[in-house]
Amino acid sequence: NNLIAGNNILQAKHVGIIISDSSKITLSNNNVTYNEFGIALIGSSNSILEGNDVSSSSKDGIYFFSSNDNIIQSNTIFSCNESGIWLSESANNLIAGNNVSLNNPDGIHMANSSGNTILHNNMINNAVQLNSFNSTNSLDDSIEGNYWSDYNGTDEDQDGIGNEPYLVDANN
């Protein structure tokens, strides 16, 4: 039940903010820049990451390991040298309304992480927008999904929603 808000974390030795074996933590409106990992949750649940700016991490911007039932929303994650968001062995998380851009190699990477919902995110100019390994997740709510800057489909009814799905892999 802790709140971590309004901090500027620059060039931490390893991780800008790390939450381990905790629940009901709110990380809000932090600026986390030039760290190896921006924000990491390990073995944590029922937490909210909201309104944070995470950039220029030498590895992952936001990293979850064995962390379930969390919300990552309305964050800006850009220019990270591995993944903007990396989920490993994490389930039932909501990733919504984030701006994920210019990350290389992946905007979002999921490994052995299923049951997550990825919705209403802006996925812009990442080397690979979404990389999914041994994971099955939901990328829409049956009405809308995410914005993909490399989407090549059409919008025949001109409602602002592509008429062909954006395919990540056979399970997503």
Side-chain angles (χ1 to χ4, degrees):
N1 293 313
N2 291 299
L3 170 65
I4 301 169
N7 297 286
N8 290 313
I9 300 169
L10 176 67
Q11 296 178 328
K13 187 173 183 178
H14 185 57
V15 182
I17 300 171
I18 185 167
I19 306 297
S20 180
D21 300 314
S22 299
S23 64
K24 299 180 182 173
I25 307 296
T26 299
L27 281 81
S28 177
N29 300 312
N30 297 289
N31 184 2
V32 185
T33 307
Y34 293 110
N35 303 288
E36 186 175 3
F37 294 88
I39 298 171
L41 263 70
I42 300 170
S44 296
S45 63
N46 299 303
S47 295
I48 299 171
L49 281 67
E50 178 177 50
N52 300 289
D53 287 330
V54 181
S55 65
S56 303
S57 296
S58 62
K59 293 198 177 176
D60 304 313
I62 296 175
Y63 173 77
F64 277 24
F65 177 76
S66 190
S67 292
N68 305 319
D69 303 305
N70 299 289
I71 298 171
I72 302 171
Q73 70 181 8
S74 303
N75 298 285
T76 299
I77 306 111
F78 67 97
S79 293
C80 297
N81 289 331
E82 289 194 9
S83 297
I85 300 171
W86 181 300
L87 271 61
S88 179
E89 298 179 27
S90 297
N92 303 318
N93 296 291
L94 173 64
I95 302 172
N98 299 287
N99 291 313
V100 182
S101 61
L102 300 171
N103 299 289
N104 188 8
D106 304 316
I108 298 175
H109 184 100
M110 294 178 290
N112 302 310
S113 295
S114 292
N116 298 290
T117 300
I118 298 97
L119 182 64
H120 294 150
N121 298 286
N122 293 315
M123 305 296 296
I124 302 170
N125 297 330
N126 299 289
V128 173
Q129 303 286 29
L130 181 88
N131 191 353
S132 177
F133 174 75
N134 197 29
S135 303
T136 302
N137 297 286
S138 174
L139 302 178
D140 65 38
D141 62 3
S142 298
I143 298 170
E144 296 176 334
N146 299 281
Y147 172 80
W148 309 95
S149 64
D150 59 349
Y151 178 71
N152 291 319
T154 60
D155 182 12
E156 293 177 16
D157 56 6
Q158 298 182 351
D159 64 354
I161 300 170
N163 297 107
E164 293 100 34
Y166 183 88
L167 298 177
V168 174
D169 59 39
N171 297 315
N172 297 283

